[in-house]
Amino acid sequence: MIGLLKSRLPFFSSLIIAWIILTATSLSGVEFTEVAVPVHSFALNVFFINYTFMADGIFVLAALAVYYFYFKKRKESLNLLFAFLFCEIIVQAIKNMYDLQGLQFYFESGQYLFPNKAEFEQPFFSGHTAVAFSMITMMVFSYRNKWMQYLLLPAGLLMAYSRMYLGLHSLQDITLASFVGSITGLLSFYVLNCPFAENAIDKKIEAGNILPPVRMQPA
């Protein structure tokens, strides 16, 4: 596990730097409208409305089905499915534990408007951001190409930003969600590749409790 983390150092070092910047900005008292782009355009609206949907549960499950059946990436898709489900359980537990409700946002001439400041007094966890960071963390372990590591983190940060751009979450919301999502991604990978599970199977084979896997002998 440590060796894999070292080989993915560009991603995780950049992730830690991003967390530091987000946390420092959140604690500095910067207004939400100063962090997000206050000017919305039709093109940006269309882009972020569709981009943010990529972290929706329906889209994720449909994409994983295509990845599994069409591209035949069965191990990778199952790993991503486990990370998604584990993250969703954590997200729903947090929301139900604190009875968090979604923020209200408004339309005017096809433009999203930010909710008023009072609506940010109640913290609200960003499930889309958590799912995005959980998935990209799992994907980092699935791809050996280092360039992919540099692409995945900006994709996750853009997903987090889309939630603020659309007026659905505050900076604090996406900061906490990105942390929780990354941790669930790490735990998911560890559970699926836990060395203790392999050792337990080997011990059961040695004790005669289970039969070893059958190997085909050459004719």
Side-chain angles (χ1 to χ4, degrees):
M1 184 69 176
I2 301 299
L4 284 172
L5 289 175
K6 289 182 178 179
S7 64
R8 272 68 177 178
L9 188 60
F11 172 81
F12 288 105
S13 58
S14 301
L15 179 61
I16 293 174
I17 293 174
W19 281 340
I20 294 175
I21 295 174
L22 289 174
T23 302
T25 306
S26 300
L27 297 177
S28 65
V30 176
E31 294 292 339
F32 172 74
T33 52
E34 296 177 2
V35 178
V37 177
V39 178
H40 288 199
S41 66
F42 178 78
L44 288 176
N45 288 347
V46 172
F47 172 77
F48 281 115
I49 289 172
N50 288 277
Y51 188 83
T52 199
F53 183 69
M54 293 174 63
D56 185 83
I58 297 176
F59 182 89
V60 171
L61 293 176
L64 289 179
V66 173
Y67 200 50
Y68 182 90
F69 292 105
Y70 183 79
F71 292 101
K72 306 297 183 181
K73 299 291 185 179
R74 297 181 177 179
K75 180 179 180 181
E76 292 84 352
S77 57
L78 290 176
N79 287 346
L80 290 171
L81 177 62
F82 183 88
F84 167 73
L85 294 176
F86 183 38
C87 183
E88 272 295 315
I89 292 174
I90 300 299
V91 168
Q92 295 305 320
I94 293 175
K95 289 184 177 181
N96 285 278
M97 184 182 303
Y98 294 99
D99 191 27
L100 300 178
Q101 302 297 324
L103 298 174
Q104 298 297 319
F105 56 96
Y106 310 94
F107 297 91
E108 181 175 316
S109 300
Q111 303 290 319
Y112 275 94
L113 297 182
F114 293 125
N116 57 50
K117 185 178 178 181
E119 290 179 327
F120 285 99
E121 293 178 355
Q122 180 187 13
F124 175 56
F125 191 78
S126 175
H128 283 68
T129 302
V131 168
F133 274 83
S134 179
M135 301 289 282
I136 67 174
T137 301
M138 179 62 77
M139 290 175 67
V140 164
F141 292 108
S142 301
Y143 296 100
R144 297 182 179 180
N145 190 339
K146 289 186 177 181
W147 287 108
M148 185 63 68
Q149 300 179 41
Y150 292 106
L151 295 175
L152 288 174
L153 182 57
L157 292 174
L158 191 61
M159 176 61 67
Y161 180 75
S162 72
R163 307 306 291 168
M164 293 194 301
Y165 178 91
L166 297 176
L168 294 169
H169 294 286
S170 68
L171 183 61
Q172 292 81 0
D173 299 336
I174 63 101
T175 301
L176 175 61
S178 65
F179 179 79
V180 172
S182 300
I183 296 300
T184 57
L186 281 171
L187 291 177
S188 299
F189 178 80
Y190 182 78
V191 170
L192 294 174
N193 299 271
C194 181
F196 297 106
E198 296 180 357
N199 293 336
I201 294 176
D202 292 338
K203 290 181 179 179
K204 289 183 178 181
I205 292 176
E206 294 176 358
N209 295 330
I210 61 176
L211 295 176
V214 177
R215 301 182 182 275
M216 298 297 295
Q217 298 295 332

